[in-house]
Amino acid sequence: MATEVELNDTKEIRANLAVVSQQIEELELQYDRTAGSVRLLAVSKTKPIEAIKAAYDVGQRAFGENYVQEAVEKHHALAHLDDLEWHFIGPIQSNKSRLIAESMDWVHSVDREKIARRLSEQRPDNMPPLNVCIQINISGEESKAGVSLSELKDMVALVSSLPNLQLRGLMAIPAPQDNFAAQCLVYAPLHQAFIELSKSDSMMDTLSIGMSGDLPAAIASCSTMVRVGTAIFGARDYSAKA
């Protein structure tokens, strides 16, 4: 039987999810976006199964995970919910690519030829192609993963050639900026690159940008998928096993 604390946590998650969803709807209207054009990816890393179930019960279906082993364990535990959509959004080590290829529906963090090839080779034949976003290092940070925009054309060609991957779009995590205008300025070249790519490929429909700190700028910059965790589930437990 659930404890009072667990019940209160569940109510809070559901209330938070309603607030975030309403915020997205209001920002779509404010920045002349089509209603429903921005999907919410609930970032559930370090959060327990019960938290995901609470969000699922009020209609959330797409969940983002950063840590491979944790993601796989959750995927197996909730396999009976066959309409869940699992997105891997963290860095990928080559020795763990098989686990990702065998369990995830989406990968947002493809930024190397070796990883792209391994994901395609290791994707089971009985599963649909793995949806992929290429990660862009939009701020040019040495400490951050991602290809540069100058390298994007070659990476697009590579991913598009691999039989068990489906290129869906671009993802970026820019360096923090102080204000809305600065955030939009950073996103501008990424937005333009996405527009150009989507003109020639109808499956290129996903611009995965925007978190709690820059949600308005991301939606103004034509994000189609925002990644929100703490505002839904509360503070993360960084002691969780990676």
Side-chain angles (χ1 to χ4, degrees):
M1 184 173 180
T3 67
E4 183 178 354
V5 172
E6 288 169 341
L7 289 171
N8 286 340
D9 287 347
T10 294
K11 291 178 182 178
E12 185 174 353
I13 288 168
R14 293 175 178 174
N16 290 345
L17 191 56
V19 169
V20 172
S21 298
Q22 180 64 32
Q23 182 184 11
I24 292 171
E25 291 176 8
E26 291 173 355
L27 288 169
E28 285 176 334
L29 181 62
Q30 182 176 350
Y31 295 111
D32 296 321
R33 300 291 306 280
T34 302
S37 61
V38 181
R39 294 187 66 198
L40 171 61
L41 180 62
V43 179
S44 48
K45 64 180 180 181
T46 80
K47 292 302 172 182
I49 295 294
E50 291 74 20
I52 295 175
K53 287 180 178 176
Y56 178 90
D57 287 344
V58 289
Q60 181 63 29
R61 293 295 181 266
F63 294 87
E65 294 286 334
N66 284 59
Y67 307 119
V68 177
Q69 196 60 47
E70 179 188 350
V72 171
E73 290 172 1
K74 289 177 178 177
H75 173 265
H76 290 328
L78 295 171
H80 60 289
L81 303 177
D82 57 9
D83 57 344
L84 271 180
E85 190 175 274
W86 292 103
H87 295 240
F88 191 78
I89 59 177
I92 303 172
Q93 298 174 333
S94 58
N95 65 341
K96 294 185 178 180
S97 60
R98 182 177 296 277
L99 292 172
I100 295 171
E102 292 176 346
S103 59
M104 297 291 104
D105 300 299
W106 285 69
V107 177
H108 291 231
S109 45
V110 172
D111 67 345
R112 308 194 304 282
E113 177 178 353
K114 179 180 181 180
I115 291 299
R117 291 192 182 279
R118 286 177 70 89
L119 289 173
S120 182
E121 292 165 1
Q122 295 166 345
R123 184 70 167 175
D125 291 337
N126 65 340
M127 296 181 73
L130 183 62
N131 295 298
V132 164
C133 290
I134 295 171
Q135 183 171 354
I136 308 298
N137 188 346
I138 194 64
S139 300
E141 297 173 274
E142 290 186 7
S143 62
K144 195 165 287 181
V147 302
S148 67
L149 285 174
S150 64
E151 299 168 317
L152 178 57
K153 183 178 179 181
D154 289 342
M155 184 59 74
V156 166
L158 169 69
V159 173
S160 298
S161 73
L162 297 174
N164 293 319
L165 302 184
Q166 177 60 63
L167 182 59
R168 294 295 297 272
L170 307 177
M171 184 273 269
I173 307 172
Q177 303 295 325
D178 292 336
N179 57 64
F180 174 85
Q183 291 166 350
C184 289
L185 190 63
V186 170
Y187 279 138
L190 181 67
H191 176 204
Q192 187 58 42
F194 174 70
I195 289 174
E196 292 303 316
L197 288 170
S198 60
K199 286 179 181 177
S200 57
D201 185 348
S202 61
M203 291 297 289
M204 282 281 293
D205 58 2
T206 301
L207 184 57
S208 174
I209 56 173
M211 297 182 286
S212 298
D214 66 349
L215 212 57
I219 292 177
S221 301
C222 288
S223 171
T224 68
M225 188 177 294
V226 293
R227 308 181 301 273
V228 180
T230 303
I232 297 171
F233 297 111
R236 296 178 187 130
D237 177 7
Y238 287 100
S239 66
K241 184 178 177 181

